[in-house]
């Protein structure tokens, strides 16, 4: 299967984005979606400093042409990318996942908050989750295709909160597991460049536009994640 990588870069992370690009290029096609106006390599997808996560995500989905998308933020540092890619493909064959991700050393979606305990996988280090965190993850092309079909006006959501839950819900609606691999760890800083209140308000604006089945699944993920087992009965 063809994995196409996307790195999201913004001001202050140019060197990190370059380093990630060099690590990913030997593994296949790699795009950098760039919002840093002071550093604009011609082979990058340069979309301007006005573009936050949402516009970067939409750009990546528009340019995706592979079987699997790998997306990583420029401020994240996966430990062993070749092994991560190898495991991604191995578990795709075994579990037919819709989303597969490593663990992060800092995430609001901790094991206690995210793991779905009503479903056990054959590998103890793999857990199905309600949100793997969209800092570093793999998404099957079918889930990207479903996302691209949604009729959502994203103009009211620049920060991008809610995209993660939408992707996870779309995966489960296809009866595809969303898996976190605790054998892989990504170094990720604690700080953000936005306020949680603003991001939450924007997310609510987005979720109100979702089709009923999708919104119901998102609410299940947020409020009663162990009931996701219903998609696999």
């Amino acid at each position: 299967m063809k994995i196409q990588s996307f790195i999201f870069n913004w001001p202050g992370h140019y060197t990190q984005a370059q380093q990630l690009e060099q690590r990913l290029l030997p593994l296949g096609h790699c795009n950098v979606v760039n919002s840093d106006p002071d550093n604009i390599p011609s082979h990058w997808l340069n979309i301007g400093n006005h573009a936050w996560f949402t516009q970067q995500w939409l750009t990546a989905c528009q340019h995706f042409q592979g079987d699997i998308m790998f997306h990583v933020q420029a401020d994240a540092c996966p430990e062993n990318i070749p092994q991560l890619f190898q495991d991604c493909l191995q578990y795709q064959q075994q579990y037919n996942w819709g989303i597969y991700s490593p663990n992060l050393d800092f995430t609001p979606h901790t094991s206690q908050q995210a793991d779905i305990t009503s479903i056990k996988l054959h590998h103890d280090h793999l857990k199905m989750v309600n949100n793997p965190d969209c800092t570093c993850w793999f998404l099957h092309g079918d889930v990207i295709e479903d996302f691209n079909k949604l009729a959502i006006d994203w103009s009211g959501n620049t920060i991008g909160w809610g995209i993660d839950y939408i992707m996870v819900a779309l995966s489960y609606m296809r009866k595809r597991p969303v898996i976190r691999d605790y054998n892989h760890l990504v170094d990720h800083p604690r700080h953000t460049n936005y306020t949680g209140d603003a991001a939450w308000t924007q997310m609510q604006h987005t979720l109100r536009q979702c089709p009923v089945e999708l919104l119901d699944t998102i609410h299940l993920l947020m409020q009663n994640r162990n009931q996701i087992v219903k998609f696999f009965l």
Side-chain angles (χ1 to χ4, degrees), residues 1 28 33 43 47 70 76 83 92 97 124 128 171 175 181 183 186 194 199:
M1 301 184 78
V33 184
H43 66 288
I47 59 176
F70 174 63
Q83 186 63 52
Q92 168 58 218
W97 51 257
D124 290 340
M128 289 176 58
S171 180
K175 304 185 185 302
D181 189 337
N183 274 358
V186 173
Y194 56 83

Side-chain angles (χ1 to χ4, degrees), residues 65-162:
Q65 296 179 327
D67 301 305
I68 294 171
M69 176 194 286
F70 174 63
H71 157 244
V72 60
Q73 298 289 87
D75 63 348
C77 186
E79 290 181 340
N80 188 337
I81 292 179
Q83 186 63 52
L84 181 62
F85 272 52
Q86 181 177 325
D87 290 346
C88 151
L89 294 173
Q90 174 189 337
Y91 296 131
Q92 168 58 218
Q93 290 183 338
Q94 291 183 256
Y95 294 107
N96 193 32
W97 51 257
I99 299 174
Y100 168 82
S101 77
N103 190 25
L104 278 77
D105 65 350
F106 173 71
T107 173
H109 307 289
T110 63
S111 173
Q112 293 78 12
Q113 298 294 326
D115 289 1
I116 294 172
T117 58
S118 57
I119 305 175
K120 301 292 185 183
L121 301 178
H122 298 303
H123 299 80
D124 290 340
H125 62 279
L126 301 180
K127 304 294 182 184
M128 289 176 58
V129 293
N130 68 343
N131 195 321
D133 196 302
C134 59
T135 296
C136 179
W137 55 348
F138 297 82
L139 301 100
H140 193 277
D142 290 346
V143 181
I144 302 294
E145 181 180 356
D146 289 345
F147 175 81
N148 284 336
K149 292 177 180 177
L150 293 174
I152 292 178
D153 177 6
W154 292 97
S155 61
N157 186 346
T158 58
I159 296 171
W161 273 27

Side-chain angles (χ1 to χ4, degrees), residues 16-86:
Q16 292 163 285
Q18 286 182 309
Q19 292 170 347
L20 273 172
E21 183 183 29
Q22 292 307 308
R23 294 174 67 190
L24 286 167
L25 280 172
L27 300 172
H29 190 64
C30 179
N31 298 97
V32 179
V33 184
N34 181 39
S35 298
D36 181 355
D38 297 322
N39 298 283
I40 49 173
S42 59
H43 66 288
W44 286 9
L45 299 172
N46 299 298
I47 59 176
N49 194 32
H50 66 282
W52 286 49
F53 184 91
T54 297
Q55 192 56 49
Q56 290 180 318
W57 182 255
L58 296 175
T59 300
C61 290
Q62 291 164 4
H63 285 81
F64 174 69
Q65 296 179 327
D67 301 305
I68 294 171
M69 176 194 286
F70 174 63
H71 157 244
V72 60
Q73 298 289 87
D75 63 348
C77 186
E79 290 181 340
N80 188 337
I81 292 179
Q83 186 63 52
L84 181 62
F85 272 52
Q86 181 177 325

